[in-house]
Each structure stands twice: as C-alpha cells, then as structure tokens.
C-alpha cells in the first residue's frame, strides 16, 4: 500500500486530455513539493514535472502539473501514442523522513 | 550529460550480502544529494535510501533499516549501497538517482533466492 494514492490505470484516445491524480496527506503533499515521473516501457524513469508544475527542459508543454491541498494532478493534453507509459508521483514526507511514491498509473492510449 | 551507471547486482541467497555501486559523471557529484530507489517485479517504485551531498545526513525506508547502508565517495564520484541480511522481498531492480530523482541510472537487478 503506497503512501500516495494514484489510480492504477487511465486511458484516452489520441488528441484527448487526460488527468492523473495523486492523493496524499499534510505530511507529504500538503507541506512539500510534488514531482511526477514517466516510465516508458523498458526504460528508467524520467522526471516529467517538479515543484508541482515546473517542466525540465525538453519536456513538452502538453504535460502540466498542479497541486491543491493534499492532492496533486498531472494533466496530459493532446495525447499521443508515445505517451503510453507508467506515471508516478512523489513527495518528501516529513513524518516518515523519506520520499514516498504513488503506486503508479498505467496510461493506455486507445 | 548526466550519467549514472549502477553495478553489483546479481543472485544471492537469503541472508546474504551484496554491495551496489553507482558511478556518476557529467555533473558535480559532490554538490548533490543522492538516492537509491527500487522496483520489485510487478510493483511500483519504492524509495530505499537518501544521502546528503556531504554524506552527513542519511535516511532509510523502514523495511531496510539496520540491514542496508548507504555511503558515497565524492573523490571517486561514486554512490554505494551495502545490503546485508537480504530477504526475498528485497528482489528488485535498484536504481541510483540524482537529487530529487531528476536523473536515473538504468538499474541493476538484485535477486534474492535459494
């Protein structure tokens, strides 16, 4: 059971907008920044969003993040087939003194 | 270009030990905190351990406390994870990651089985 809660799966058709939620608590999302990672099949995870809504260079602006209270969301607009991957949220947890990840969301592009 | 290359994984019997290494290049290693993260077969990502840039601050996830030891050698641009008293549930691909996981290695597989 992961400390951060994500839906196990999400799906959309090319061109659609999909969102993936990440629910936590006051000790993690509520008081620290949230990062999102993309895990393409057979590859190492890649940082997608940091500090709730910042994109590293090279990440398309189709990807965006937001946070409200103890929850965060990743939005992907203009869905493309190459977006099919596993997505994870993560945040530092002040109570556990460690990083916590969501269980991951498998995104399928129909 | 940031490069992180893990090594040291393999097959080990329950109760055995392994030492993982992560060779870093392409950035000022001594300026960054580092982490180990693992992914068990069919499971999600799990943070294992964190070490500050100087090595003075260290954290572990509860399940490995007392069994795993993280360390670093800034002169050699290297990160380590000494794993003792290994259990079947430690079977996973282990990744080293820079900072708040902004760069990752390709991982090294640890299999704990008799």
């Amino acid at each position: 059971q992961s400390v951060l809660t994500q839906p196990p799966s999400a799906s959309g058709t090319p061109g659609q907008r999909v969102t993936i939620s990440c629910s936590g608590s006051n000790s993690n999302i509520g008081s620290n920044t949230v990062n999102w990672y993309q895990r393409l099949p057979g590859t190492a995870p890649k940082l997608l969003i940091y500090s709730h809504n910042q994109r590293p260079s090279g990440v398309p602006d189709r990807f965006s993040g937001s946070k409200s209270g103890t929850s965060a969301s990743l939005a992907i607009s203009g869905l493309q087939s190459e977006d099919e991957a596993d997505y994870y949220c993560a945040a530092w947890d002040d109570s556990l003194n460690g990083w916590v990840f969501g269980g991951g969301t498998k995104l399928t592009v129909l | 270009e940031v490069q992180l290359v893990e090594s040291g994984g393999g097959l080990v019997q329950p109760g055995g030990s392994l030492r993982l290494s992560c060779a870093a290049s392409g950035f000022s290693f001594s300026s960054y905190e580092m982490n180990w993260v693992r992914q068990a077969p069919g499971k999600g990502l799990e943070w294992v351990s964190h070490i500050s840039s100087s090595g003075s601050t260290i954290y572990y996830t509860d399940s490995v406390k007392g069994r795993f030891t993280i360390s670093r050698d800034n002169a050699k641009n290297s990160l380590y994870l000494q794993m003792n008293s290994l259990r079947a549930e430690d079977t996973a691909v282990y990744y080293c990651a820079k900072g708040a996981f902004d760069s990752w290695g390709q991982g090294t597989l640890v299999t704990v089985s008799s």
Side-chain angles (χ1 to χ4, degrees):
Chain A
Q1 198 81 339
S2 301
V3 174
L4 304 182
T5 301
Q6 296 179 236
S9 63
S11 63
T13 56
Q16 269 192 332
R17 182 177 188 270
V18 297
T19 61
I20 297 171
S21 62
C22 175
S23 177
S25 65
N26 288 327
S27 62
N28 42 65
I29 294 178
S31 51
N32 295 296
T33 61
V34 179
N35 297 341
W36 289 90
Y37 305 89
Q38 178 191 57
R39 179 90 183 272
L40 294 168
T43 69
K46 167 191 165 184
L47 178 63
L48 203 60
I49 297 286
Y50 66 97
S51 296
H52 312 315
N53 56 12
Q54 302 300 302
R55 286 184 307 277
S57 60
V59 174
D61 59 6
R62 302 187 295 105
F63 295 90
S64 62
S66 64
K67 172 190 146 171
S68 178
T70 59
S71 293
S73 292
L74 172 71
I76 309 171
S77 59
L79 198 61
Q80 299 179 3
S81 58
E82 54 261 40
D83 297 333
E84 193 160 280
D86 294 327
Y87 293 86
Y88 294 88
C89 58
W92 181 262
D93 191 297
D94 292 332
S95 296
L96 297 176
N97 266 334
W99 285 92
V100 289
F101 281 91
T105 298
K106 183 176 182 59
L107 175 63
T108 301
V109 181
L110 302 170
Chain B
E1 179 194 2
V2 173
Q3 277 206 315
L4 299 168
V5 180
E6 302 93 338
S7 60
L11 174 64
V12 62
Q13 291 189 336
S17 298
L18 276 178
R19 189 193 195 209
L20 305 184
S21 299
C22 172
S25 61
F27 66 102
S28 179
F29 180 75
S30 60
S31 299
Y32 288 88
E33 60 190 31
M34 297 292 294
N35 289 276
W36 286 99
V37 178
R38 66 185 178 185
Q39 184 165 28
K43 299 292 182 71
L45 299 172
E46 179 188 25
W47 170 77
V48 174
S49 183
H50 161 103
I51 187 167
S52 62
S53 57
S54 66
S56 60
T57 301
I58 287 173
Y59 300 110
Y60 300 97
T61 191
D62 283 349
S63 63
V64 309
K65 283 178 183 174
R67 301 187 300 123
F68 290 12
T69 303
I70 191 172
S71 62
R72 65 190 297 160
D73 185 335
N74 286 343
K76 294 183 177 179
N77 290 341
S78 293
L79 175 72
Y80 306 101
L81 187 68
Q82 176 67 43
M83 304 186 296
N84 298 330
S85 303
L86 283 161
R87 306 166 180 167
E89 54 264 37
D90 295 318
T91 294
V93 175
Y94 284 73
Y95 298 94
C96 67
K98 167 180 167 279
F101 318 110
D102 55 71
S103 296
W104 300 64
Q106 286 303 304
T108 186
L109 176 62
V110 172
T111 303
V112 184
S113 175
S114 55

